[in-house]
Amino acid sequence: MRRELGRDIPLEDVRQAIARNYASTLNLELIPGQYTADELQAISKTEAEKYLSDEWIYQTSTVEDKFGGAKFKTPVGLLDIRVAMAGETLKAVYIGGDFFAEESAVAEMEGALRWHASQPEKVSATLAKVYQRREKDFNGLPLETIQETTLKAIANAVLVGTLENANPYDPAAS
């Protein structure tokens, strides 16, 4: 955080920012409190049995990453969206192009889609939610175009992943 902000920041400020964003993103109220003795015991047990095991620490994913992209020329400039997926989950979304938009609005939209379900209705709803808050910062870049181009990038990633995993020697795969 210090590197990104270019200044020192108290740990408590970071904790509060994380808590605020969880509450906002998940649309819930966080209530401060202490762990009970039973909760602390369960945490210790889970840590020892799972998270400190070599199997957990050195695990590898059997799910191959998929990558896709899509471009669309809008009245306000080129929109270039690229996605990285793990299975059916969006790992990361990059929104670029030569349009003018507030950098923080684009970053917020990208962040909202990080580790997000790839179902079209969920992606479209999340994009709409961010766009509604930051519409003026997108300077005329249409929401529908962002949604359609993102969904096309996802579809391209799925298609490329399917083609990469196809066995050219399996007659059933043709």
Side-chain angles (χ1 to χ4, degrees), residues 6-139:
R7 62 178 172 84
D8 281 340
I9 182 167
L11 181 58
E12 188 55 33
D13 289 358
V14 174
R15 288 180 176 145
Q16 289 176 6
I18 291 169
R20 274 193 312 275
N21 284 305
Y22 268 113
S24 172
T25 300
L26 299 173
N27 196 27
L28 53 83
E29 179 184 356
L30 297 177
I31 301 169
Q34 301 296 322
Y35 290 113
T36 66
D38 288 343
E39 289 171 329
L40 288 171
Q41 185 177 10
I43 290 168
S44 292
K45 181 179 178 191
T46 302
E47 178 185 33
E49 292 177 0
K50 182 176 183 178
Y51 297 114
L52 294 179
S53 72
D54 285 350
E55 293 81 20
W56 178 266
I57 293 169
Y58 299 109
Q59 68 182 310
T60 58
S61 175
T62 58
V63 177
E64 293 288 326
D65 285 351
K66 297 179 277 192
F67 303 93
K71 295 179 182 181
F72 188 83
K73 183 68 177 158
T74 76
V76 297
L78 179 69
L79 177 62
D80 179 4
I81 298 184
R82 299 172 195 188
V83 301
M85 299 177 64
E88 300 301 313
T89 302
L90 289 169
K91 286 176 65 173
V93 175
Y94 167 76
I95 302 171
D98 63 1
F99 57 90
F100 291 101
E102 179 64 41
E103 189 175 320
S104 64
V106 173
E108 183 177 340
M109 193 169 274
E110 291 170 337
L113 292 174
R114 192 167 292 117
W115 295 109
H116 190 285
S118 64
Q119 290 90 351
E121 63 281 356
K122 292 181 179 180
V123 171
S124 293
T126 297
L127 290 170
K129 185 177 177 183
V130 174
Y131 192 89
Q132 183 180 15
R133 279 196 309 271
R134 304 291 302 263
E135 182 175 359
K136 65 177 177 45
D137 296 326
F138 284 96
N139 292 315

